Structures are given as structure tokens and as C-alpha cells.
Amino acid sequence: MTSLGALTDPGGLLGVLNRCSGPSVTSVTSSITHVEHIAWRPGRPAGWPGWVPPTVRAAFDGAGIDRPWSHQVEAAELAHSGRDVVVATGTASGKSLAYQLPALTAVSANSRSCVLYLAPTKALAADQLESLESLGMAGLRPAAYDGDSPMVERDWARAHANWVLTNPDMLHRGMLPAHARWARVLRRLKYVVVDECHAYRGVFGSHVALVLRRLIRLARMYGSDPVFILASATSADPASSAGRLIGRPVQAITQDGAPRPGADFVFWEPAVVQGDSGSGGAPVRRSAAAEAARLMADMVADGARTLTFVRSRHGAEQTALSARRRLADIAPELIETVAAYRGGYLPEERRELERALDSGELMGVASTNALELGVDIAGLDVAILAGYPGTLASMWQQAGRAGRRADTGRRALVVFVARDDPLDTYLVHHPETVFGRPVETAIIDPTNPFILGPHLACAAAERHLGEADLGLFGGPAIKPILQDLLDRRVLRARPSGYFWAEPGHPADRVDLRGGGGGQVAIVDQETARLLGTVDLHRAPAAVHAGAVHLHRGESYVVQDLDLQAGVALVRPERPDWTTIARSASTVSISRSAEHRERDHRGGVRVGIGPVEVTEQVVGYLRRRPDGELIDVIGLDMPRHTLHTRAIWYTVTLDALLGAGIAEARVPGALHAAEHAAIGLLPLFAGCDRWDIGGLSTALHADTGDPTVIVYDGYPGGAGFADRGHEMLGDWLGAVRDAVATCPCAAGCPSCVQSPKCGNGNQPLDKDGAVTVLSTVLAALAPMELAAAH
Ligand SMILES: [Zn+2]
Ligand SMILES: [Zn+2]
């Protein structure tokens, strides 16, 4: 904890913040839980590699880059020498130059050479295209190939481009299935750039890993052997994450040579709202968005240019509106300088925003994560993060929007405003999990049969799979999956290999963001526009009739869900409530070969392995934004079963009684421990709390004991449960800490309550949860000590 009184910057931005934390509309004040002073760091420039031709150097000269930074040259050297490399350095450290150097050199040496660039977002691809075009290098013919490109541009890209900018979805659905039409590019492919590769995690990451293996196979077939250059946020072990993604060894460059601007990073916990209460009379904190709006208004009133990140577009509008309301009281002349960002992903839209912020026409902007990447605003003073954006990588991206240029003099300010949930609350009280810790390792599992099977089918449809191809997709381990495809007559075996047995290509049926096992299309009934898809097994809880559905920050209400037809019809609406499905579920633990269970002392067992989750959505709750319950509406939905993987622990009833938990309290204690564990697993596994599920029971039929289960919410699993199992001691230690130190009396959204509880947060026993967790941790400790010796 840092006392602000001790800081020597009373007139600076921290001083403004200090005044904000004083008595406010609530009688209990919001508080600063931590201030991290990030020192300014000078850059380490390096010389241009000798192999960079004058045309490329001239192009960078023209763009105002006179010397590269050390990490850019190190990565470029490796790639130029033919080695796959990942450059994992800080936000805004100029990773583009690291791949542009070798790739532009290749194009400059022979303009028939080709580069394929993959970005996880259209905004990033659009930025990269703009920056390449601005280089004005002779012989360079970049083109975007995405869902929005007009047909004539796509034709041009296929026929002429030597630098194709696309995304994994277009590669999967557009380029690979029609590889013959891309033969020119595939034959001359020198480099594949995978930008922001830490974004490829979980189910999406597993899909992308397989799409890249399909690309590697086809490139080989056309006679090329491209070098991969990956760019990543700093992470724990970028070489192995990148290696898992492309399926072969990758060297990592991690020493950041770029200068870093100085900043003060403040953790902010909103006040508890007095006289108000949420579920079960629990205390409720002021919302992160309301708090962020208040801070933005005060910053703007002090002359600081401020960018605030919130979750949804609607939230951004609300935040801008409340900031303007506050400015009406404190600095009415500035009201018009605060707005919500309504633009899309096009660079021109963001350039316009940058211009308005530069000129002072705009002083405060509330935005979704659309502005996380690709905004370059000199002199942006403050970034406010209303809630944890889901990953540490995103958190640093958003924070990095403040003070991007080292030469502006004034120290930037970043304020992370915690939402009222266990993860945000844990973070504001444990700054060590953010500072001095690399971002989470991207968990992927390209061996998941539910994901691998469909990609084997896609690969076979692109060209029959020979024995030699199998190594690329996992070797002998994939034989059972191939057999299953043969049994289902998806593939046909012939002497020369495995052939796709149907007409067309299966890519359209494989959604890279889906977990396999079927999709439900979400369609706007007014425009008949397809908004997206949701996995079949998630549809009953996510898009039941009456559900409020958020899509790219816009809100819709589901009018009808037809599971048979695989369609959910929605209508744009902004109701004054949110919906949460209620469901009844059971989990059975399968005794397969992959099942592993281990006894610890003190009546504790820990297991990992396949499970079968059966869930039935029985209704939903409607709540006001402040948490007030409006009503409960019943639904009649079919049961569905999910085959996935889970981590579980059991504690015998005797051990629980011995620890002081009376039998009647056991269900509430386990349930509370389960909720908090789900709330914090994202910190260790890089998933979202909606990617995982859980169940707790005082007596589980398969274990015979009181049991807590946390499972992956995708067929075949996504690797999150396995990561939880690996990190069990750290994970449950954080969970116990979060629950034990929460100042509430009997459980609140910051510790053991869950917004997605199928049982409406009943029963919950906060103290009991601490006891359960302490019992499990005590049982784990000797083993971990033994393992360390
Ligand atoms: Zn609490
Ligand atoms: Zn629950």
C-alpha cells in the first residue's frame, strides 16, 4: 500500500487522483490500493544489419526511423538466417520493424517473393497495411484479404500482391480451401508473420495452431518453406508458446531495446455503496464504469487528455455521458470535449480521433477495446481501465496507450479501476501479480480430438493426407481420430492416404472460435444479418429466448431459439436489465485411461481427467445494473451433455468436521470455494471465467466424498482445467487469500458470489470456504515441498 500523502507530486495527475479519492457521493471512500512508479528507460539503438538493402533503409528513413532498436535487429537477424523467431517485448516497442526488416529485404531482392501477415483483429491488419503503403517502397505490393475486401480487391490480391494481410479465419475459410488459386503466393512464400500471437489462446488458439499446420503442409506441397516470425506480448515462456502454436521450435527475443516512457500506475478500488445491498444482502461496490467516468471528468477538468476503456459500446456511451454530467458541475466549458468512440476498425477513423485529441477538440474519450491497438496519440496523459480486460496482455496494451512517446516530459498516469468481482478485487490487492510477472502463457491444446478431427478433415479436403503428413498433426496419436473420421465416413482410406469423402470443403462448418460439436447462428431478425455463432452446448444458457446478448458492444434481446434448426433470432434492444440463466447440472467423472487421481494426507484427494457434464437450463433471472433482482422466468429446455476435462478435489466429511465445519455448512462452504476458484482461474490459465464451469456437492456419486469440480466449457477441454491442476497450489492459495481478506461479512461479488451461478448464489458460506481451502492447501504442501527437493 502506498500512502498518497507521501508522494511529492501534489500538483500532478496523482494529486488530481488524490482529491478524487476524498469524500465523495458515498460515505465510504474509494481507495488507492497501490501505486507503481514505472521508470523512464532509455532505448538501446543498434546498427542496421549489413544485409538490409539501400531501398529498405531509404523507406524506413522516409518513415522517420533512423536507427532500429536492439531487439528489432536481433529478431530480424534470426529470421534472415532462416530461423523461426518470436519477438516478445513490451507494448509499443516497435515489433513491426523486427519482421518488416527481413520480409521487406526478401521482397526487395525479388519482388516475386511473398509474405503472409496474420493479425487477430481487422484493425491491426488495417494499420499494418497503412504503414506498409506509407513506406512507398518500389516493388512492394501489399493487399488486405479479409471478409470486407471487395471482390475486385480479393482478385487483385490473389493475382498480384506480394504481401497479403489477412486473419486466421480468412486463411482457414478462404485461402487454404482454394489453395490452387493462391498457388502463386504459396509457391513463393518466404515469411509468415503471426502478429499479436498471444491472442491465440484457448479453443481459438488450438484452432489457429491447426490452421497454421495446414498452411505449412500446403506451402511445402507448392515447394516453399516459409520462416515464421511471431510477435507477442511479453510472456512467461514465449519460445514454447510460439513453438506450440506453429508446431516446431522457435527462438525467442525478449530483451526490449525500445525506450519506455515513465508512468504512475494506480490501482483503484471503488467505494462500497452505503445503504444498498445486492444478492442476499451483500455489500455492493460502486460500478467501475461510474467510477471511471468520475475520474475521467476530474482529469479532463485538470487539463489531462484521457482515454477510458470499458467493456461494451453501450458502457462507453454511458461513461462519456456521466463524465459530461460531472463536468457540467465542475468545468462546464469542457463538456463538449468528452465523447464516446463510435468509430470502427478503419485506420482513417482512428486517425481522425488522434487528430481531435491532438488539437484539444477532444480531451476525454470512452472506448471499448477497439482502441487497444493502433492508436498513436502524442501527449495522451491518462489511461483509465474500467475493469480488468481479461488478460494481462490486454491490460498492458490499454495501459500503454498513455504516454506512448518518451519525449513528452509529463509522466503518464494509468488507473486500473476494479470491478466488483473476485479477480479484479484480487488484483488491486495483489499488485505483484501484475508487476514483476510476465503475462499469462497462452494455453492451447491442438491435440483436442474435437478440434483436431475437423481440421484433419479440412486438410484432407485440401489434399489427401499421406502417412508423411501425419507427423505435422501429432503423429501416431492421431490414429484414433482418423479412425473415427473413417467410421463416420467423413474420410475414406485408399492406398495413397486419407481422402475427404464428400463434395465441397468442410471449412465452413468449422468455426475457429467454436469448441466443436455444432453451432447455433445468431441472426438479427430485422436485417437477417448473421451476427455470430455460439457453440450448440452453450446456446441454451447464452441465447435462450429473452436473453440479453452483447455482440461487439451492441446489445440485443433473443426473440427465439431453435436448437434443431441451429438459429437464435435476436433484435437490437437496450433493456435496462441483464439476464443470467439458471440451470441444474451434474458431472460424472469418467474412469478412462486419462483419469488420474492422487491421495494426499488429511483426507484430501486431487484428480484430473475426462468428465461428462449434463446441464439443463431451467430459467433465467433479470437484474437491474445495480444488481436488483426484477424477476425469475422459467424455461423448458432440453438437457445436453458436454464431454470435457475437469480438475477436482475431494475432502472427506470427517476431515471437514475435524476442521470445524458442521455438516449443515458443508454445501455452502464447498459452493463458495468453487465460485472463488472459478473467479481466479483466469489469472493462471488466461481464460475467461465464462470459459469454465464448476460444480460442488457434499456427496459426489463418483468420488464418494464432498467434492469441488472445475471443468472446461468446451467439448474435449481447452487446457484450462489441466493448467489449474498444474498450478493447483498457487491457484488455491490465491483463492483462499482472496476470500479470507475480503472485508465483507458473509460473501459478496468481490469474493464468493458469482454472476453466472446457476443456483442464484445459494447457499454460500464464506468462512467455510476459507476452511475448506486451508485444509486442501495443507494437504498439498508436503508434496510440493517434497517435489522441490
Ligand atoms: Zn467479499
Ligand atoms: Zn454457484
Side-chain angles (χ1 to χ4, degrees):
M1 291 263 232
T2 307
S3 153
L4 270 186
L7 293 169
T8 55
D9 186 23
L13 293 169
L14 273 172
V16 180
L17 201 61
N18 194 13
R19 292 199 292 281
C20 301
S21 69
S24 65
V25 285
T26 57
S27 54
V28 174
T29 59
S30 302
S31 59
I32 289 174
T33 58
H34 180 77
V35 181
E36 184 83 10
H37 301 288
I38 298 171
W40 172 81
R41 183 187 63 198
R44 281 193 296 132
W48 296 102
W51 44 261
V52 177
T55 45
V56 173
R57 277 191 57 174
F60 284 122
D61 256 352
I65 300 167
D66 46 356
R67 291 179 82 182
W69 304 117
S70 56
H71 64 281
Q72 296 168 330
V73 172
E74 288 166 26
E77 289 282 9
L78 280 172
H80 182 70
S81 71
R83 266 173 296 171
D84 298 322
V85 59
V86 56
V87 50
T89 52
T91 307
S93 59
K95 284 173 280 229
S96 316
L97 189 70
Y99 52 77
Q100 285 175 353
L101 264 184
L104 288 172
T105 297
V107 170
S108 150
N110 180 354
S111 70
R112 287 150 59 99
S113 296
C114 291
V115 176
L116 183 64
Y117 168 91
L118 296 170
T121 65
K122 277 182 199 163
L124 188 57
D127 276 338
Q128 287 291 315
L129 178 62
E130 193 193 37
S131 108
L132 285 170
E133 282 171 342
S134 72
L135 289 176
M137 203 183 91
L140 177 63
R141 299 184 301 275
Y145 178 75
D146 64 39
D148 295 343
S149 326
M151 207 45 91
V152 31
E153 271 177 36
R154 295 188 193 194
D155 289 344
W156 190 87
R158 267 192 295 265
H160 304 291
N162 54 9
W163 194 302
V164 178
L165 301 103
T166 186
N167 54 63
D169 300 272
M170 287 302 283
L171 186 59
H172 160 64
R173 277 178 217 258
M175 296 179 75
L176 299 179
H179 57 85
R181 303 178 68 192
W182 289 93
R184 180 190 62 88
V185 172
L186 289 167
R187 194 173 297 134
R188 294 164 185 160
L189 197 53
K190 289 286 180 277
Y191 291 101
V192 176
V193 177
V194 186
D195 206 353
E196 298 285 324
C197 68
H198 56 269
Y200 304 127
R201 58 202 172 88
V203 164
F204 181 42
S206 307
H207 277 289
V208 172
L210 291 159
V211 172
L212 292 176
R213 283 157 182 72
R214 283 162 50 200
L215 169 67
I216 289 171
R217 187 175 80 109
L218 289 176
R220 274 186 201 158
M221 190 178 101
Y222 283 96
S224 70
D225 184 17
V227 170
F228 278 72
I229 310 176
L230 303 98
S232 166
T234 52
S235 79
D237 187 1
S240 49
S241 317
R244 271 195 302 277
L245 190 63
I246 70 167
R248 58 196 205 196
V250 175
Q251 265 184 277
I253 298 297
T254 55
Q255 286 293 317
D256 194 336
R260 187 178 61 187
D264 296 310
F265 203 137
V266 174
F267 281 12
W268 184 274
E269 186 171 45
V272 170
V273 179
Q274 295 295 293
D276 203 348
S277 61
S279 181
V284 177
R285 291 186 181 276
R286 266 172 67 84
S287 84
E291 198 83 335
R294 190 163 70 90
L295 293 175
M296 177 157 71
D298 289 9
M299 291 295 159
V300 167
D302 194 60
R305 278 157 220 215
T306 305
L307 183 54
T308 300
F309 290 101
V310 294
R311 261 225 161 143
S312 67
R313 216 178 260 213
H314 182 43
E317 282 164 25
Q318 290 301 313
T319 301
L321 204 63
S322 1
R324 288 162 67 112
R325 265 192 223 118
R326 182 168 171 85
L327 279 172
D329 294 334
I330 57 173
E333 70 283 6
L334 294 173
I335 292 179
E336 293 305 319
T337 69
V338 170
Y341 179 64
R342 289 196 188 75
Y345 65 87
L346 292 174
E348 304 88 83
E349 293 168 313
R350 275 170 295 142
R351 297 298 99 88
E352 171 53 27
L353 176 81
E354 286 163 10
R355 192 203 52 74
L357 276 164
D358 246 4
S359 69
E361 197 177 304
L362 277 181
M363 293 290 291
V365 174
S367 169
T368 62
N369 64 2
L371 292 180
E372 195 174 293
L373 296 170
V375 181
D376 190 2
I377 304 155
L380 187 60
D381 304 295
V382 183
I384 299 173
L385 285 53
Y388 183 61
T391 61
L392 284 172
S394 280
M395 190 180 205
W396 283 112
Q397 290 285 12
Q398 298 187 352
R401 294 311 99 193
R404 265 196 83 171
R405 295 206 182 142
D407 54 7
T408 51
R410 200 175 186 182
R411 283 175 75 76
L413 178 70
V414 180
V415 189
F416 163 53
V417 182
R419 263 197 305 259
D420 199 2
D421 68 36
L423 183 53
D424 284 30
T425 304
Y426 183 81
L427 287 171
V428 283
H429 290 288
H430 293 82
E432 73 280 2
T433 51
V434 174
F435 306 103
R437 196 184 89 131
V439 310
E440 39 300 80
T441 301
I443 308 269
I444 60 166
D445 179 12
T447 65
N448 176 339
F450 290 89
I451 297 176
L452 179 51
H455 285 282
L456 286 173
C458 289
E462 280 144 19
R463 193 197 192 207
H464 70 271
L465 282 163
E467 287 294 325
D469 293 323
L470 304 187
L472 202 53
F473 293 95
I478 71 170
K479 281 285 162 93
I481 301 168
L482 280 173
Q483 191 55 52
D484 175 61
L485 293 171
L486 292 173
D487 293 346
R488 290 192 289 118
R489 301 182 181 207
V490 174
L491 297 187
R492 196 176 294 145
R494 289 202 191 128
S496 52
Y498 301 90
F499 285 74
W500 166 242
E502 294 171 28
H505 193 285
D508 278 344
R509 283 174 257 161
V510 183
D511 181 340
L512 298 192
R513 282 161 187 79
Q519 302 280 315
V520 168
I522 302 169
V523 177
D524 183 338
Q525 70 174 24
E526 281 167 17
T527 61
R529 193 164 68 95
L530 175 69
L531 298 177
T533 60
V534 59
D535 285 353
L536 185 61
H537 71 272
R538 289 184 162 213
V543 288
H544 57 77
V548 176
H549 173 74
L550 279 180
H551 174 74
R552 298 213 174 138
E554 297 292 347
S555 118
Y556 297 83
V557 174
V558 180
Q559 307 298 310
D560 181 52
L561 169 64
D562 185 340
L563 286 168
Q564 227 79 65
V567 177
L569 291 175
V570 303
R571 198 166 69 196
E573 253 177 70
R574 282 185 177 183
D576 186 26
W577 60 80
T578 57
T579 55
I580 298 291
R582 296 197 65 169
S583 61
S585 57
T586 57
V587 178
S588 69
I589 296 172
S590 332
R591 296 268 162 186
S592 77
E594 288 167 69
H595 171 99
R596 276 186 288 139
E597 209 171 45
R598 177 160 178 172
D599 280 305
H600 297 269
R601 55 167 206 168
V604 172
R605 261 182 302 151
V606 173
I608 177 82
V611 296
E612 207 178 287
V613 180
T614 305
E615 193 178 22
Q616 183 172 26
V617 171
V618 294
Y620 65 100
L621 310 178
R622 295 197 300 168
R623 280 190 192 283
R624 303 252 179 239
D626 62 5
E628 186 203 336
L629 178 67
I630 303 171
D631 52 11
V632 183
I633 297 167
L635 286 171
D636 184 20
M637 303 279 265
R639 268 164 202 278
H640 61 100
T641 301
L642 172 69
H643 294 267
T644 183
R645 286 178 68 79
I647 149 94
W648 62 91
Y649 63 79
T650 69
V651 187
T652 59
L653 185 59
D654 281 350
L656 291 174
L657 294 174
I661 302 179
E663 195 165 349
R665 288 177 58 203
V666 170
L670 297 173
H671 190 202
E674 172 219 325
H675 277 188
I678 291 174
L680 284 180
L681 185 57
L683 196 56
F684 297 91
C687 54
D688 191 274
R689 83 196 267 170
W690 303 90
D691 288 336
I692 47 182
L695 181 101
S696 56
T697 166
L699 176 63
H700 193 279
D702 298 323
T703 65
D705 282 313
T707 304
V708 173
I709 303 173
V710 175
Y711 57 85
D712 287 351
Y714 296 95
F720 305 135
D722 287 84
R723 179 72 176 164
H725 183 245
E726 267 167 44
M727 301 290 291
L728 191 63
D730 290 348
W731 172 31
L732 294 186
V735 174
R736 179 183 58 182
D737 200 34
V739 179
T741 60
C742 188
C744 69
C748 71
S750 290
C751 57
V752 298
Q753 291 188 348
S754 163
K756 50 177 276 195
C757 181
N759 294 312
N761 283 308
Q762 292 294 329
L764 289 176
D765 183 332
K766 180 187 171 187
D767 293 339
V770 175
T771 308
V772 167
L773 290 159
S774 297
T775 306
V776 176
L777 284 162
L780 293 178
M783 184 196 73
E784 293 194 341
L785 281 177
H789 286 286

